């Protein structure tokens, strides 16, 4: 407190802190670092300064400095449960999972009755598939806060995860009837009820509850801003792709680094909910492959620096003439960011980046990694649309499209048009793989993808779900891939054919393009 008061008496330092915050929030962590370091040296007892310094250092990929800064923040706020929770979430973003857990556990120890502290720890346990410990966390919280919205919702969620869906349905209907005040719970409880009813085979009510949930999201967030930004980016992307030529990609391929690198790079993309996570786990079970589950490295270190999300339109020549030194720097930053979550030495020969949404930027991938091995996952477009509509994930310019079936179908067309255009241009190494084929013959399709990566099939890949159980996964389907392959998701759309009717004609084009009977 004294440190904060001393800083507030110095208007120049207050202005310096505000400027550093603006630089950090504006996506310029490197510019903010110098100001934060100077302020932290002058006022070392202010935990908020250390916390923000840690965020800036993480943005610059200096993870060692970020960790030091977070620890200094904790030294000066050891009993601040809110700060402990905030740092825990930063560690989650950095995929430093043990460090996150320690923060959440300390927050509970400091304030055992604090709801968000207990819920944060319970969420961490659930992601680790430690459902018993997550349940204990929630039940301990329920003793003190039996009517709390968040406690009741997460308890119902755990019942669902434990396959006690009938009990989850009862809890959710009671919660909705009571009118939760917490905005997230207000819509998430309806969404989860739709998911639970689907599992129970009560298909008649499902679309009603999902629709109510998504309508509520629109009242909480100005989704039109996200939609307009997405539509403008799609327009620019289409213009740029139309200007590209096969000769351009062949020239990029000829400009690949001449010196052999330690790793071979591969990308597993396609539309979200097309089976990318399942195939990723089959490939990751190979001892010479290392798969990364939806990392932010490509977007942060390559795509955004070339095409800033809020920046002006970037002409094709900027991408085409990207200097060799700049491409080499991007490759190095990408690799450093990618490997940040891997402790110790990496012995794998192939690094696989599984990330559906960056399929939109496949041309950017190939400019920086022209030797990239590209695997595109396909699935019946109607199943994809239904599966995406069932998602309840944090809103961004991509996921905002999943608030309606019409925009979900538009997003599918936008992304798959990118793939069809890139496939038409050619000049790079690619294969397509169908979710239905993986389900029908996992080893056969897994062998084909493994061969494409230049590896021989390994027996461990047939038991991929055992490897997956030892990992924390970040994709929305993280709990599905910890069990053997099942076929119940094939043809799921037929249960909701009536709801899909308005977009059937749009999807028929892609059913034909990818070999699905429409």
């Amino acid at each position: 407190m004294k440190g904060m008061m001393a800083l507030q008496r110095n208007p120049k330092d207050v202005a310096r802190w505000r400027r550093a915050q603006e630089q950090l929030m504006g996506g310029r962590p490197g510019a903010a670092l110098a100001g934060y370091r100077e302020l932290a040296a002058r006022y070392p007892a202010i935990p908020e300064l250390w916390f923000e310094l840690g965020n800036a250092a993480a943005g610059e990929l200096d993870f060692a400095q970020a960790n030091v800064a977070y620890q200094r923040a904790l030294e000066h706020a050891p009993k601040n449960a809110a700060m402990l929770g905030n740092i825990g979430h930063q560690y989650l973003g950095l995929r430093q999972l043990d460090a996150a857990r320690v923060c959440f556990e300390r927050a509970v120890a400091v304030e055992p009755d604090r709801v968000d502290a207990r819920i944060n720890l319970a969420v961490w346990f659930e992601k680790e598939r430690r459902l018993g410990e997550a349940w204990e966390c929630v039940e301990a919280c329920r003793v003190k806060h039996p009517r709390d919205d968040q406690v009741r919702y997460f308890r119902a969620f755990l019942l669902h995860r434990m396959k006690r869906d009938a009990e989850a349905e009862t809890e959710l209907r009671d919660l909705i009837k009571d009118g939760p005040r917490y905005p997230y719970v207000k819509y998430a409880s309806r969404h989860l009820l739709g998911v639970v009813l689907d599992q129970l085979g009560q298909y008649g009510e499902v679309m009603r509850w999902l629709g109510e949930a998504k309508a509520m999201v629109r009242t909480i967030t100005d989704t039109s801003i996200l939609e307009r930004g997405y539509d403008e980016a799609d327009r620019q992307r289409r213009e740029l792709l139309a200007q590209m030529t096969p000769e351009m990609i062949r020239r990029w391929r000829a400009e690949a680094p001449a010196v052999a690198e330690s790793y071979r790079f591969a990308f597993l993309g396609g539309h979200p909910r097309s089976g990318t996570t399942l195939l990723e786990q089959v490939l990751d079970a190979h001892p010479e492959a290392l798969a990364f589950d939806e990392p932010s490295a490509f977007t942060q270190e390559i795509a955004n620096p070339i095409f800033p999300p809020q920046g002006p339109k970037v002409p094709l020549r900027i991408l085409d003439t990207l200097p060799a030194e700049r491409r080499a720097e991007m490759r190095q930053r990408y690799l450093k960011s990618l490997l940040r979550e891997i402790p110790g030495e990496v012995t794998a020969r192939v690094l696989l980046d599984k990330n559906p949404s960056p399929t939109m930027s496949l041309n950017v991938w190939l400019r920086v990694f022209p030797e990239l091995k590209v695997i595109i996952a396909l699935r019946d477009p109607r199943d994809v649309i239904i599966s995406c509509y069932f998602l309840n994930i944090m809103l961004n310019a991509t996921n905002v499209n999943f608030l309606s079936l019409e925009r979900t179908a538009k997003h599918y067309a936008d992304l798959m048009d990118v793939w069809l255009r890139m496939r038409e241009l050619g000049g790079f190494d690619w294969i397509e793989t169908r979710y239905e084929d993986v389900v029908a013959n996992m080893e056969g399709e897994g062998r084909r993808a493994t061969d494409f990566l230049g590896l021989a099939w390994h027996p461990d890949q047939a038991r991929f779900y055992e490897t997956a159980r030892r990992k924390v996964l970040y994709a929305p389907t993280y709990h599905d891939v910890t069990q053997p392959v099942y076929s119940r998701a094939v043809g799921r759309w037929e249960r909701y054919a009536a709801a899909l009717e308005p977009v059937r004609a749009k999807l028929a084009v892609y059913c034909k393009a990818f070999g699905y009977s429409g």
Side-chain angles (χ1 to χ4, degrees), residues 278 281-287 442-443 457-471 481-485:
L278 173 58
Q281 294 308 308
V282 172
L283 296 172
D284 187 55
H286 196 292
M442 185 276 292
E443 184 167 335
W457 179 260
H458 191 278
D460 287 352
Q461 293 179 265
R463 303 182 299 274
F464 70 92
Y465 47 89
E466 295 177 359
T467 302
R469 287 172 186 157
R470 297 192 293 269
K471 300 169 55 180
V481 295
T482 58
Q483 53 190 305
V485 173

PDB file of all heavy atoms in Angstrom, residues 278 281-287 442-443 457-471 481-485:
ATOM      1  N   LEU A 278      -9.025 -35.999 -32.675  1.00  0.00           N
ATOM      2  CA  LEU A 278      -8.879 -37.455 -32.699  1.00  0.00           C
ATOM      3  C   LEU A 278      -7.622 -37.847 -33.474  1.00  0.00           C
ATOM      4  O   LEU A 278      -6.794 -38.637 -32.983  1.00  0.00           O
ATOM      5  CB  LEU A 278     -10.119 -38.091 -33.325  1.00  0.00           C
ATOM      6  CG  LEU A 278     -10.059 -39.601 -33.578  1.00  0.00           C
ATOM      7  CD1 LEU A 278      -9.800 -40.364 -32.289  1.00  0.00           C
ATOM      8  CD2 LEU A 278     -11.356 -40.070 -34.231  1.00  0.00           C
ATOM      9  N   GLN A 281      -4.313 -36.992 -31.678  1.00  0.00           N
ATOM     10  CA  GLN A 281      -3.904 -37.903 -30.612  1.00  0.00           C
ATOM     11  C   GLN A 281      -3.347 -39.211 -31.161  1.00  0.00           C
ATOM     12  O   GLN A 281      -2.429 -39.792 -30.571  1.00  0.00           O
ATOM     13  CB  GLN A 281      -5.083 -38.164 -29.676  1.00  0.00           C
ATOM     14  CG  GLN A 281      -5.540 -36.939 -28.897  1.00  0.00           C
ATOM     15  CD  GLN A 281      -4.391 -36.267 -28.167  1.00  0.00           C
ATOM     16  OE1 GLN A 281      -3.648 -36.900 -27.422  1.00  0.00           O
ATOM     17  NE2 GLN A 281      -4.215 -34.975 -28.406  1.00  0.00           N
ATOM     18  N   VAL A 282      -3.874 -39.674 -32.285  1.00  0.00           N
ATOM     19  CA  VAL A 282      -3.327 -40.873 -32.922  1.00  0.00           C
ATOM     20  C   VAL A 282      -1.882 -40.618 -33.343  1.00  0.00           C
ATOM     21  O   VAL A 282      -0.999 -41.464 -33.143  1.00  0.00           O
ATOM     22  CB  VAL A 282      -4.185 -41.283 -34.134  1.00  0.00           C
ATOM     23  CG1 VAL A 282      -3.513 -42.418 -34.910  1.00  0.00           C
ATOM     24  CG2 VAL A 282      -5.580 -41.704 -33.691  1.00  0.00           C
ATOM     25  N   LEU A 283      -1.618 -39.444 -33.910  1.00  0.00           N
ATOM     26  CA  LEU A 283      -0.265 -39.119 -34.372  1.00  0.00           C
ATOM     27  C   LEU A 283       0.656 -38.792 -33.199  1.00  0.00           C
ATOM     28  O   LEU A 283       1.838 -39.151 -33.212  1.00  0.00           O
ATOM     29  CB  LEU A 283      -0.322 -37.942 -35.350  1.00  0.00           C
ATOM     30  CG  LEU A 283      -1.078 -38.223 -36.659  1.00  0.00           C
ATOM     31  CD1 LEU A 283      -1.244 -36.941 -37.465  1.00  0.00           C
ATOM     32  CD2 LEU A 283      -0.360 -39.281 -37.481  1.00  0.00           C
ATOM     33  N   ASP A 284       0.125 -38.152 -32.172  1.00  0.00           N
ATOM     34  CA  ASP A 284       0.950 -37.774 -31.029  1.00  0.00           C
ATOM     35  C   ASP A 284       1.424 -38.986 -30.238  1.00  0.00           C
ATOM     36  O   ASP A 284       2.430 -38.919 -29.534  1.00  0.00           O
ATOM     37  CB  ASP A 284       0.163 -36.835 -30.111  1.00  0.00           C
ATOM     38  CG  ASP A 284       1.019 -36.268 -28.985  1.00  0.00           C
ATOM     39  OD1 ASP A 284       2.070 -35.674 -29.281  1.00  0.00           O
ATOM     40  OD2 ASP A 284       0.648 -36.446 -27.813  1.00  0.00           O
ATOM     41  N   ALA A 285       0.718 -40.102 -30.358  1.00  0.00           N
ATOM     42  CA  ALA A 285       1.128 -41.319 -29.650  1.00  0.00           C
ATOM     43  C   ALA A 285       2.397 -41.924 -30.245  1.00  0.00           C
ATOM     44  O   ALA A 285       2.991 -42.818 -29.636  1.00  0.00           O
ATOM     45  CB  ALA A 285      -0.002 -42.350 -29.673  1.00  0.00           C
ATOM     46  N   HIS A 286       2.819 -41.439 -31.411  1.00  0.00           N
ATOM     47  CA  HIS A 286       4.073 -41.908 -32.022  1.00  0.00           C
ATOM     48  C   HIS A 286       5.252 -41.276 -31.268  1.00  0.00           C
ATOM     49  O   HIS A 286       5.266 -40.064 -31.047  1.00  0.00           O
ATOM     50  CB  HIS A 286       4.126 -41.513 -33.492  1.00  0.00           C
ATOM     51  CG  HIS A 286       5.161 -42.251 -34.284  1.00  0.00           C
ATOM     52  ND1 HIS A 286       6.519 -42.059 -34.079  1.00  0.00           N
ATOM     53  CD2 HIS A 286       5.057 -43.178 -35.273  1.00  0.00           C
ATOM     54  CE1 HIS A 286       7.195 -42.837 -34.915  1.00  0.00           C
ATOM     55  NE2 HIS A 286       6.324 -43.525 -35.642  1.00  0.00           N
ATOM     56  N   PRO A 287       6.238 -42.054 -30.855  1.00  0.00           N
ATOM     57  CA  PRO A 287       7.347 -41.491 -30.070  1.00  0.00           C
ATOM     58  C   PRO A 287       8.197 -40.471 -30.817  1.00  0.00           C
ATOM     59  O   PRO A 287       8.912 -39.694 -30.187  1.00  0.00           O
ATOM     60  CB  PRO A 287       8.173 -42.729 -29.679  1.00  0.00           C
ATOM     61  CG  PRO A 287       7.775 -43.789 -30.641  1.00  0.00           C
ATOM     62  CD  PRO A 287       6.345 -43.519 -31.000  1.00  0.00           C
ATOM     63  N   MET A 442      -9.467 -46.924 -37.854  1.00  0.00           N
ATOM     64  CA  MET A 442      -8.514 -45.998 -37.242  1.00  0.00           C
ATOM     65  C   MET A 442      -7.079 -46.325 -37.633  1.00  0.00           C
ATOM     66  O   MET A 442      -6.313 -45.441 -38.000  1.00  0.00           O
ATOM     67  CB  MET A 442      -8.671 -46.018 -35.720  1.00  0.00           C
ATOM     68  CG  MET A 442      -7.806 -44.997 -34.992  1.00  0.00           C
ATOM     69  SD  MET A 442      -6.122 -45.547 -34.694  1.00  0.00           S
ATOM     70  CE  MET A 442      -6.418 -46.848 -33.516  1.00  0.00           C
ATOM     71  N   GLU A 443      -6.696 -47.586 -37.574  1.00  0.00           N
ATOM     72  CA  GLU A 443      -5.313 -47.917 -37.865  1.00  0.00           C
ATOM     73  C   GLU A 443      -4.987 -47.686 -39.333  1.00  0.00           C
ATOM     74  O   GLU A 443      -3.910 -47.166 -39.656  1.00  0.00           O
ATOM     75  CB  GLU A 443      -5.003 -49.360 -37.479  1.00  0.00           C
ATOM     76  CG  GLU A 443      -3.531 -49.718 -37.691  1.00  0.00           C
ATOM     77  CD  GLU A 443      -3.129 -51.022 -37.029  1.00  0.00           C
ATOM     78  OE1 GLU A 443      -3.790 -51.420 -36.051  1.00  0.00           O
ATOM     79  OE2 GLU A 443      -2.149 -51.621 -37.489  1.00  0.00           O
ATOM     80  N   TRP A 457       4.383 -46.563 -38.793  1.00  0.00           N
ATOM     81  CA  TRP A 457       3.363 -46.794 -37.760  1.00  0.00           C
ATOM     82  C   TRP A 457       3.983 -47.430 -36.523  1.00  0.00           C
ATOM     83  O   TRP A 457       4.826 -48.320 -36.619  1.00  0.00           O
ATOM     84  CB  TRP A 457       2.271 -47.696 -38.313  1.00  0.00           C
ATOM     85  CG  TRP A 457       1.185 -48.035 -37.342  1.00  0.00           C
ATOM     86  CD1 TRP A 457       1.050 -49.189 -36.627  1.00  0.00           C
ATOM     87  CD2 TRP A 457       0.070 -47.214 -36.983  1.00  0.00           C
ATOM     88  NE1 TRP A 457      -0.080 -49.136 -35.843  1.00  0.00           N
ATOM     89  CE2 TRP A 457      -0.704 -47.936 -36.035  1.00  0.00           C
ATOM     90  CE3 TRP A 457      -0.354 -45.939 -37.357  1.00  0.00           C
ATOM     91  CZ2 TRP A 457      -1.868 -47.431 -35.482  1.00  0.00           C
ATOM     92  CZ3 TRP A 457      -1.515 -45.435 -36.792  1.00  0.00           C
ATOM     93  CH2 TRP A 457      -2.264 -46.160 -35.877  1.00  0.00           C
ATOM     94  N   HIS A 458       3.572 -46.935 -35.348  1.00  0.00           N
ATOM     95  CA  HIS A 458       4.084 -47.462 -34.091  1.00  0.00           C
ATOM     96  C   HIS A 458       2.928 -48.095 -33.317  1.00  0.00           C
ATOM     97  O   HIS A 458       1.810 -47.549 -33.302  1.00  0.00           O
ATOM     98  CB  HIS A 458       4.720 -46.338 -33.261  1.00  0.00           C
ATOM     99  CG  HIS A 458       5.497 -46.813 -32.087  1.00  0.00           C
ATOM    100  ND1 HIS A 458       4.901 -47.155 -30.885  1.00  0.00           N
ATOM    101  CD2 HIS A 458       6.835 -47.015 -31.918  1.00  0.00           C
ATOM    102  CE1 HIS A 458       5.830 -47.535 -30.034  1.00  0.00           C
ATOM    103  NE2 HIS A 458       7.013 -47.467 -30.629  1.00  0.00           N
ATOM    104  N   PRO A 459       3.158 -49.240 -32.657  1.00  0.00           N
ATOM    105  CA  PRO A 459       2.068 -49.911 -31.927  1.00  0.00           C
ATOM    106  C   PRO A 459       1.360 -49.025 -30.914  1.00  0.00           C
ATOM    107  O   PRO A 459       0.162 -49.206 -30.650  1.00  0.00           O
ATOM    108  CB  PRO A 459       2.773 -51.090 -31.240  1.00  0.00           C
ATOM    109  CG  PRO A 459       3.983 -51.346 -32.080  1.00  0.00           C
ATOM    110  CD  PRO A 459       4.411 -50.024 -32.609  1.00  0.00           C
ATOM    111  N   ASP A 460       2.066 -48.065 -30.323  1.00  0.00           N
ATOM    112  CA  ASP A 460       1.438 -47.191 -29.327  1.00  0.00           C
ATOM    113  C   ASP A 460       0.282 -46.386 -29.917  1.00  0.00           C
ATOM    114  O   ASP A 460      -0.620 -45.957 -29.185  1.00  0.00           O
ATOM    115  CB  ASP A 460       2.470 -46.225 -28.739  1.00  0.00           C
ATOM    116  CG  ASP A 460       3.439 -46.906 -27.784  1.00  0.00           C
ATOM    117  OD1 ASP A 460       3.217 -48.099 -27.466  1.00  0.00           O
ATOM    118  OD2 ASP A 460       4.427 -46.266 -27.384  1.00  0.00           O
ATOM    119  N   GLN A 461       0.322 -46.168 -31.234  1.00  0.00           N
ATOM    120  CA  GLN A 461      -0.722 -45.347 -31.845  1.00  0.00           C
ATOM    121  C   GLN A 461      -2.084 -46.014 -31.801  1.00  0.00           C
ATOM    122  O   GLN A 461      -3.105 -45.334 -31.804  1.00  0.00           O
ATOM    123  CB  GLN A 461      -0.328 -45.005 -33.292  1.00  0.00           C
ATOM    124  CG  GLN A 461       0.879 -44.081 -33.367  1.00  0.00           C
ATOM    125  CD  GLN A 461       1.277 -43.777 -34.799  1.00  0.00           C
ATOM    126  OE1 GLN A 461       2.155 -44.422 -35.370  1.00  0.00           O
ATOM    127  NE2 GLN A 461       0.620 -42.797 -35.408  1.00  0.00           N
ATOM    128  N   ALA A 462      -2.105 -47.329 -31.774  1.00  0.00           N
ATOM    129  CA  ALA A 462      -3.383 -48.039 -31.677  1.00  0.00           C
ATOM    130  C   ALA A 462      -4.030 -47.832 -30.313  1.00  0.00           C
ATOM    131  O   ALA A 462      -5.242 -48.005 -30.164  1.00  0.00           O
ATOM    132  CB  ALA A 462      -3.179 -49.524 -31.949  1.00  0.00           C
ATOM    133  N   ARG A 463      -3.227 -47.448 -29.315  1.00  0.00           N
ATOM    134  CA  ARG A 463      -3.731 -47.195 -27.956  1.00  0.00           C
ATOM    135  C   ARG A 463      -3.578 -45.716 -27.618  1.00  0.00           C
ATOM    136  O   ARG A 463      -3.214 -45.347 -26.508  1.00  0.00           O
ATOM    137  CB  ARG A 463      -2.966 -48.051 -26.949  1.00  0.00           C
ATOM    138  CG  ARG A 463      -3.018 -49.555 -27.231  1.00  0.00           C
ATOM    139  CD  ARG A 463      -2.281 -50.358 -26.151  1.00  0.00           C
ATOM    140  NE  ARG A 463      -0.868 -49.987 -26.086  1.00  0.00           N
ATOM    141  CZ  ARG A 463       0.087 -50.517 -26.846  1.00  0.00           C
ATOM    142  NH1 ARG A 463      -0.228 -51.436 -27.758  1.00  0.00           N
ATOM    143  NH2 ARG A 463       1.347 -50.137 -26.732  1.00  0.00           N
ATOM    144  N   PHE A 464      -3.883 -44.864 -28.600  1.00  0.00           N
ATOM    145  CA  PHE A 464      -3.678 -43.421 -28.447  1.00  0.00           C
ATOM    146  C   PHE A 464      -4.397 -42.864 -27.232  1.00  0.00           C
ATOM    147  O   PHE A 464      -3.932 -41.911 -26.590  1.00  0.00           O
ATOM    148  CB  PHE A 464      -4.157 -42.697 -29.709  1.00  0.00           C
ATOM    149  CG  PHE A 464      -5.655 -42.722 -29.877  1.00  0.00           C
ATOM    150  CD1 PHE A 464      -6.443 -41.709 -29.375  1.00  0.00           C
ATOM    151  CD2 PHE A 464      -6.281 -43.779 -30.521  1.00  0.00           C
ATOM    152  CE1 PHE A 464      -7.826 -41.739 -29.521  1.00  0.00           C
ATOM    153  CE2 PHE A 464      -7.656 -43.819 -30.670  1.00  0.00           C
ATOM    154  CZ  PHE A 464      -8.430 -42.805 -30.169  1.00  0.00           C
ATOM    155  N   TYR A 465      -5.562 -43.409 -26.894  1.00  0.00           N
ATOM    156  CA  TYR A 465      -6.370 -42.882 -25.793  1.00  0.00           C
ATOM    157  C   TYR A 465      -5.675 -43.040 -24.448  1.00  0.00           C
ATOM    158  O   TYR A 465      -5.924 -42.276 -23.516  1.00  0.00           O
ATOM    159  CB  TYR A 465      -7.746 -43.553 -25.767  1.00  0.00           C
ATOM    160  CG  TYR A 465      -7.694 -45.061 -25.907  1.00  0.00           C
ATOM    161  CD1 TYR A 465      -7.570 -45.881 -24.795  1.00  0.00           C
ATOM    162  CD2 TYR A 465      -7.752 -45.663 -27.164  1.00  0.00           C
ATOM    163  CE1 TYR A 465      -7.510 -47.253 -24.918  1.00  0.00           C
ATOM    164  CE2 TYR A 465      -7.699 -47.042 -27.307  1.00  0.00           C
ATOM    165  CZ  TYR A 465      -7.567 -47.836 -26.190  1.00  0.00           C
ATOM    166  OH  TYR A 465      -7.494 -49.196 -26.320  1.00  0.00           O
ATOM    167  N   GLU A 466      -4.766 -44.026 -24.347  1.00  0.00           N
ATOM    168  CA  GLU A 466      -4.012 -44.181 -23.105  1.00  0.00           C
ATOM    169  C   GLU A 466      -3.009 -43.039 -22.953  1.00  0.00           C
ATOM    170  O   GLU A 466      -2.795 -42.516 -21.856  1.00  0.00           O
ATOM    171  CB  GLU A 466      -3.298 -45.531 -23.093  1.00  0.00           C
ATOM    172  CG  GLU A 466      -4.249 -46.721 -23.068  1.00  0.00           C
ATOM    173  CD  GLU A 466      -3.521 -48.057 -23.139  1.00  0.00           C
ATOM    174  OE1 GLU A 466      -2.272 -48.040 -23.231  1.00  0.00           O
ATOM    175  OE2 GLU A 466      -4.188 -49.102 -23.101  1.00  0.00           O
ATOM    176  N   THR A 467      -2.377 -42.653 -24.060  1.00  0.00           N
ATOM    177  CA  THR A 467      -1.472 -41.496 -24.029  1.00  0.00           C
ATOM    178  C   THR A 467      -2.247 -40.227 -23.723  1.00  0.00           C
ATOM    179  O   THR A 467      -1.801 -39.380 -22.933  1.00  0.00           O
ATOM    180  CB  THR A 467      -0.755 -41.356 -25.378  1.00  0.00           C
ATOM    181  OG1 THR A 467      -0.045 -42.566 -25.659  1.00  0.00           O
ATOM    182  CG2 THR A 467       0.228 -40.188 -25.368  1.00  0.00           C
ATOM    183  N   ALA A 468      -3.421 -40.079 -24.341  1.00  0.00           N
ATOM    184  CA  ALA A 468      -4.218 -38.867 -24.155  1.00  0.00           C
ATOM    185  C   ALA A 468      -4.628 -38.677 -22.703  1.00  0.00           C
ATOM    186  O   ALA A 468      -4.743 -37.551 -22.219  1.00  0.00           O
ATOM    187  CB  ALA A 468      -5.457 -38.917 -25.051  1.00  0.00           C
ATOM    188  N   ARG A 469      -4.839 -39.782 -21.984  1.00  0.00           N
ATOM    189  CA  ARG A 469      -5.255 -39.669 -20.578  1.00  0.00           C
ATOM    190  C   ARG A 469      -4.165 -39.085 -19.697  1.00  0.00           C
ATOM    191  O   ARG A 469      -4.445 -38.622 -18.592  1.00  0.00           O
ATOM    192  CB  ARG A 469      -5.660 -41.048 -20.053  1.00  0.00           C
ATOM    193  CG  ARG A 469      -6.979 -41.554 -20.597  1.00  0.00           C
ATOM    194  CD  ARG A 469      -7.227 -42.989 -20.206  1.00  0.00           C
ATOM    195  NE  ARG A 469      -8.435 -43.511 -20.856  1.00  0.00           N
ATOM    196  CZ  ARG A 469      -8.669 -44.798 -21.068  1.00  0.00           C
ATOM    197  NH1 ARG A 469      -7.783 -45.705 -20.667  1.00  0.00           N
ATOM    198  NH2 ARG A 469      -9.774 -45.188 -21.667  1.00  0.00           N
ATOM    199  N   ARG A 470      -2.929 -39.120 -20.181  1.00  0.00           N
ATOM    200  CA  ARG A 470      -1.825 -38.583 -19.381  1.00  0.00           C
ATOM    201  C   ARG A 470      -1.560 -37.118 -19.698  1.00  0.00           C
ATOM    202  O   ARG A 470      -0.607 -36.539 -19.188  1.00  0.00           O
ATOM    203  CB  ARG A 470      -0.565 -39.422 -19.624  1.00  0.00           C
ATOM    204  CG  ARG A 470      -0.698 -40.882 -19.192  1.00  0.00           C
ATOM    205  CD  ARG A 470       0.639 -41.590 -19.165  1.00  0.00           C
ATOM    206  NE  ARG A 470       1.207 -41.750 -20.490  1.00  0.00           N
ATOM    207  CZ  ARG A 470       1.000 -42.820 -21.271  1.00  0.00           C
ATOM    208  NH1 ARG A 470       0.226 -43.803 -20.837  1.00  0.00           N
ATOM    209  NH2 ARG A 470       1.563 -42.898 -22.464  1.00  0.00           N
ATOM    210  N   LYS A 471      -2.369 -36.519 -20.539  1.00  0.00           N
ATOM    211  CA  LYS A 471      -2.138 -35.146 -20.971  1.00  0.00           C
ATOM    212  C   LYS A 471      -3.322 -34.265 -20.609  1.00  0.00           C
ATOM    213  O   LYS A 471      -4.441 -34.749 -20.450  1.00  0.00           O
ATOM    214  CB  LYS A 471      -1.946 -35.104 -22.498  1.00  0.00           C
ATOM    215  CG  LYS A 471      -0.789 -35.914 -23.025  1.00  0.00           C
ATOM    216  CD  LYS A 471      -0.838 -36.036 -24.532  1.00  0.00           C
ATOM    217  CE  LYS A 471      -0.904 -34.695 -25.219  1.00  0.00           C
ATOM    218  NZ  LYS A 471      -0.955 -34.835 -26.683  1.00  0.00           N
ATOM    219  N   VAL A 481     -11.458 -37.796 -26.483  1.00  0.00           N
ATOM    220  CA  VAL A 481     -10.352 -38.545 -27.086  1.00  0.00           C
ATOM    221  C   VAL A 481      -9.576 -39.358 -26.058  1.00  0.00           C
ATOM    222  O   VAL A 481      -8.521 -39.886 -26.367  1.00  0.00           O
ATOM    223  CB  VAL A 481      -9.398 -37.606 -27.849  1.00  0.00           C
ATOM    224  CG1 VAL A 481     -10.102 -36.979 -29.027  1.00  0.00           C
ATOM    225  CG2 VAL A 481      -8.823 -36.537 -26.929  1.00  0.00           C
ATOM    226  N   THR A 482     -10.092 -39.446 -24.850  1.00  0.00           N
ATOM    227  CA  THR A 482      -9.437 -40.283 -23.845  1.00  0.00           C
ATOM    228  C   THR A 482     -10.087 -41.657 -23.763  1.00  0.00           C
ATOM    229  O   THR A 482      -9.896 -42.391 -22.804  1.00  0.00           O
ATOM    230  CB  THR A 482      -9.488 -39.603 -22.461  1.00  0.00           C
ATOM    231  OG1 THR A 482     -10.855 -39.367 -22.113  1.00  0.00           O
ATOM    232  CG2 THR A 482      -8.734 -38.285 -22.486  1.00  0.00           C
ATOM    233  N   GLN A 483     -10.875 -41.987 -24.775  1.00  0.00           N
ATOM    234  CA  GLN A 483     -11.509 -43.298 -24.845  1.00  0.00           C
ATOM    235  C   GLN A 483     -11.336 -43.849 -26.251  1.00  0.00           C
ATOM    236  O   GLN A 483     -11.039 -43.095 -27.186  1.00  0.00           O
ATOM    237  CB  GLN A 483     -12.995 -43.178 -24.485  1.00  0.00           C
ATOM    238  CG  GLN A 483     -13.747 -42.131 -25.292  1.00  0.00           C
ATOM    239  CD  GLN A 483     -15.137 -41.878 -24.747  1.00  0.00           C
ATOM    240  OE1 GLN A 483     -15.935 -42.794 -24.601  1.00  0.00           O
ATOM    241  NE2 GLN A 483     -15.445 -40.625 -24.443  1.00  0.00           N
ATOM    242  N   PRO A 484     -11.506 -45.147 -26.448  1.00  0.00           N
ATOM    243  CA  PRO A 484     -11.360 -45.714 -27.785  1.00  0.00           C
ATOM    244  C   PRO A 484     -12.314 -45.066 -28.782  1.00  0.00           C
ATOM    245  O   PRO A 484     -13.321 -44.448 -28.415  1.00  0.00           O
ATOM    246  CB  PRO A 484     -11.685 -47.196 -27.572  1.00  0.00           C
ATOM    247  CG  PRO A 484     -11.401 -47.445 -26.130  1.00  0.00           C
ATOM    248  CD  PRO A 484     -11.767 -46.166 -25.430  1.00  0.00           C
ATOM    249  N   VAL A 485     -11.995 -45.213 -30.076  1.00  0.00           N
ATOM    250  CA  VAL A 485     -12.801 -44.614 -31.130  1.00  0.00           C
ATOM    251  C   VAL A 485     -14.235 -45.133 -31.061  1.00  0.00           C
ATOM    252  O   VAL A 485     -14.475 -46.323 -30.852  1.00  0.00           O
ATOM    253  CB  VAL A 485     -12.188 -44.938 -32.511  1.00  0.00           C
ATOM    254  CG1 VAL A 485     -13.110 -44.471 -33.628  1.00  0.00           C
ATOM    255  CG2 VAL A 485     -10.828 -44.260 -32.645  1.00  0.00           C
TER     256      VAL A 485
END
